[in-house]
Amino acid sequence: MEIRLISICFSLFVLTHAEPVKFMDCGSAVGKVSIVDINPCPKQPCELRKGQSYSVNVTFNSNDESQTSRAVVHGVIAGVPIPFPIPIDDGCKSGIACPIQKDKSYSYVNQLPVKPEYPSIKLVVEWELRDDSGKDLFCIQFPVHITS
Ligand SMILES: *[C@@H]1O[C@H](CO)[C@@H](O)[C@H](O)[C@H]1NC(C)=O
């Protein structure tokens, strides 16, 4: 009885407290990323089901000021970056209070919709947030598996 209760509690914990996603930095020129969270993502690489939407939360520190911020997302398939459209590319409407100040911590929060017509493959998502001079506040890469 007790063991069952513990395992139920553990399952709930795993479901609601996803571990931070392992990511690679691909050249955050004017920022430093500390945590990347994708929800839901109970095991890595994150499994993205077609027709679902996933929340992405990137916590980073800015090394510079910027009036604006714009997200650019690519799916990298066999080394080739293919544009991955997101509904809102304005970082200032994605959890960031603009203008961005120097040496401040920000959490960029957005949705990654997985369209039904996407192929069922493993790929790397490359997510950039560019400042007003086109430099990367962050550039991260993380592997995902698109499934139906
Ligand atoms: C994003 O992640 C940061 C760091 O873990 C956390 O403090 C913040 O509450 C998260 N924001 C949302 C909307 O989940």
Side-chain angles (χ1 to χ4, degrees), residues 35 37 57-59 107 109:
I35 304 172
D37 256 316
N57 178 352
V58 182
T59 302
S107 283
V109 180

Side-chain angles (χ1 to χ4, degrees), residues 15-30:
L15 280 177
T16 51
H17 294 258
E19 285 204 8
V21 168
K22 294 187 190 82
F23 66 93
M24 253 189 45
D25 194 284
C26 40
S28 306
V30 287

Side-chain angles (χ1 to χ4, degrees), residues 21-91:
V21 168
K22 294 187 190 82
F23 66 93
M24 253 189 45
D25 194 284
C26 40
S28 306
V30 287
K32 174 110 183 61
V33 179
S34 51
I35 304 172
V36 177
D37 256 316
I38 294 170
N39 215 332
C41 173
K43 69 175 171 74
Q44 296 184 45
C46 295
E47 204 168 85
L48 305 184
R49 284 189 185 278
K50 292 180 202 177
Q52 283 205 39
S53 189
Y54 292 80
S55 84
V56 176
N57 178 352
V58 182
T59 302
F60 69 99
N61 223 79
S62 58
N63 296 342
D64 215 341
E65 292 166 5
S66 183
Q67 298 297 318
T68 65
S69 63
R70 193 171 68 86
V72 180
V73 184
H74 286 92
V76 183
I77 301 169
V80 181
I82 292 160
F84 208 116
I86 53 167
I88 297 169
D89 70 355
D90 187 349

